[in-house]
Amino acid sequence: MPETPWTIGRLLTWTTDFLREKGAEAPRLDAEILLAHARGCARIELYTAFEDVTEEPLRETFRELVRKRAAGMPVAYLVGHREFFSLDFHVSYEVLIPRPETELLVVRTLDLAKSLVQEFSDDLPLRIADVGTGSGIVAICCAKQFSDCQITAIDISEAALSVARTNADRHEVANRIDWIHSDLFPQAPSPDSSDTRTYHLIVSNPPYVTSAEMKQLPATVGQYEPHLALDGGEQGTTVIERLLFQAAEQLCPGGWLLIEVGPSIVERVEQLILAEPTWDLHKTEKDLAGHPRVVRAQRRTL
């Protein structure tokens, strides 16, 4: 009997079952993304090619991708990109993989920016800082939506900034973003300074995984994604505590700070804000799963 040919459909079925056995959360989606990447086509094109017989070079490339995925390597790193907020972003081992939860941070940033344009109409353009920009998703989404904003993207990792610049070039907003290589803000302006880096809005997705949680991360995260962007120290707030102090110096009176956090540390972050007279704490936003995700604080107008 002749051997059953390896069609697109057969490859997807076999790979889906294989990845499911290996514990993949979305085995069919993983199989489709990897096969489309190996084939050099859009994923949707696979649906009209189920009966197409594949050649050995394609199968060999696909097998290697599937082997790495089965070993735990994230799909986004294997294919080099990830969709976020309906945009395609380049990713590499130097940056965290964009996650759906962070879209809430972007949505709230954009909503707040719209209202701040009216509130600070006498002090425009609006100045936004993305602290810990990583792959640049927040800064780039802001730049896409607000062509007249001054946006600053800051990261401690030069490699991450390189990825962010690549993404900004891809989305044609690189010339509207200032890039700063620094551990949080490079310096705070003096009280009587007219430094134009005094921001109306500061947004950050900082490291917030506690030391205990770091030890329990899934292998797909703990073994592959950069710990520098994940590890928030013993209580998950090591970076956030410094950010709160610096943001108070960098924000205009009435300006806002938005921070993405993990549910396990949200109460501690809120208490840190309440303990400082500089801040007014606003209601923390919940993500689609119902978890508290975006802490909001406003600098008081003393």
Side-chain angles (χ1 to χ4, degrees), residues 197-229:
R197 291 199 187 283
T198 302
Y199 300 101
H200 303 101
L201 175 58
I202 295 173
V203 57
S204 182
N205 180 11
Y208 57 72
V209 181
T210 68
S211 298
E213 290 169 337
M214 286 294 296
K215 298 175 183 178
Q216 300 172 0
L217 288 175
T220 53
V221 178
Q223 293 182 14
Y224 293 96
E225 299 198 55
H227 285 200
L228 183 65

Side-chain angles (χ1 to χ4, degrees), residues 156 183-184 204 206-212 214 227-228 230-246 259-261 265 268-269 272:
I156 191 174
D183 181 5
L184 303 184
S204 182
Y208 57 72
V209 181
T210 68
S211 298
M214 286 294 296
H227 285 200
L228 183 65
L230 290 167
D231 192 349
E234 191 67 28
Q235 296 182 313
T237 57
T238 299
V239 175
I240 292 173
E241 290 174 33
R242 294 168 50 225
L243 175 62
L244 288 173
F245 174 78
Q246 293 188 21
I259 309 175
E260 178 176 322
V261 299
I265 70 164
R268 173 164 172 74
V269 174
L272 288 169

Side-chain angles (χ1 to χ4, degrees), residues 69-300:
R69 177 68 189 107
M73 186 177 294
V75 170
Y77 289 153
L78 286 169
V79 301
H81 63 94
R82 176 69 171 262
E83 183 178 317
F84 178 86
F85 212 67
S86 299
L87 298 172
D88 190 60
F89 288 90
H90 166 62
V91 295
S92 70
Y93 298 113
E94 287 81 13
V95 298
L96 291 180
I97 298 169
R99 288 166 167 75
E101 293 87 350
T102 304
E103 292 198 356
L104 175 63
L105 182 66
V106 171
V107 169
R108 291 298 171 257
T109 298
L110 296 177
D111 288 345
L112 190 53
K114 291 176 184 177
S115 64
L116 290 177
V117 167
Q118 298 177 343
E119 182 177 346
F120 289 96
S121 57
D122 295 332
D123 183 27
L124 294 179
L126 196 70
R127 296 182 292 278
I128 301 174
D130 175 20
V131 182
T133 193
S135 58
I137 54 177
V138 177
I140 290 167
C141 287
C142 289
K144 293 284 287 185
Q145 294 292 321
F146 298 100
S147 59
D148 55 350
C149 279
Q150 291 182 356
I151 299 171
T152 302
I154 304 169
D155 205 283
I156 191 174
S157 167
E158 186 63 66
L161 285 175
S162 178
V163 173
R165 290 188 186 99
T166 296
N167 283 319
D169 286 334
R170 174 180 294 185
H171 295 294
E172 301 180 336
V173 295
N175 63 337
R176 301 214 302 273
I177 301 174
D178 293 325
W179 309 96
I180 297 180
H181 178 215
S182 176
D183 181 5
L184 303 184
F185 292 96
Q187 62 180 18
S190 60
D192 59 349
S193 171
S194 60
D195 190 338
T196 57
R197 291 199 187 283
T198 302
Y199 300 101
H200 303 101
L201 175 58
I202 295 173
V203 57
S204 182
N205 180 11
Y208 57 72
V209 181
T210 68
S211 298
E213 290 169 337
M214 286 294 296
K215 298 175 183 178
Q216 300 172 0
L217 288 175
T220 53
V221 178
Q223 293 182 14
Y224 293 96
E225 299 198 55
H227 285 200
L228 183 65
L230 290 167
D231 192 349
E234 191 67 28
Q235 296 182 313
T237 57
T238 299
V239 175
I240 292 173
E241 290 174 33
R242 294 168 50 225
L243 175 62
L244 288 173
F245 174 78
Q246 293 188 21
E249 298 293 328
Q250 292 280 354
L251 275 171
C252 299
W256 286 76
L257 172 66
L258 303 185
I259 309 175
E260 178 176 322
V261 299
S264 68
I265 70 164
V266 64
E267 291 186 13
R268 173 164 172 74
V269 174
E270 291 174 343
Q271 289 303 314
L272 288 169
I273 293 170
L274 288 170
E276 292 296 331
T278 307
W279 297 108
D280 283 321
L281 177 67
H282 290 253
K283 183 179 180 181
T284 296
E285 297 277 354
K286 294 183 178 181
D287 61 24
L288 291 177
H291 300 306
R293 186 63 60 182
V294 177
V295 174
R296 304 181 302 149
Q298 188 174 23
R299 191 181 188 282
R300 289 180 178 171

Side-chain angles (χ1 to χ4, degrees), residues 10-70:
R10 186 185 176 203
L11 275 178
L12 288 174
T13 299
W14 186 93
T15 304
T16 299
D17 292 341
F18 176 72
L19 292 178
R20 183 180 293 112
E21 292 175 359
K22 295 297 183 180
E25 293 183 1
R28 177 68 180 201
L29 179 61
D30 290 355
E32 291 181 1
I33 292 173
L34 294 176
L35 184 54
H37 178 71
R39 196 168 179 253
C41 69
R43 185 163 65 93
I44 196 171
E45 294 179 33
L46 297 177
Y47 292 94
T48 59
F50 275 9
E51 301 304 320
D52 291 2
V53 177
T54 59
E55 300 295 332
E56 177 57 28
L58 171 61
R59 295 200 301 273
E60 182 178 351
T61 299
F62 182 55
R63 275 196 299 268
E64 182 62 15
L65 291 171
V66 172
R67 183 190 67 79
K68 291 179 178 179
R69 177 68 189 107

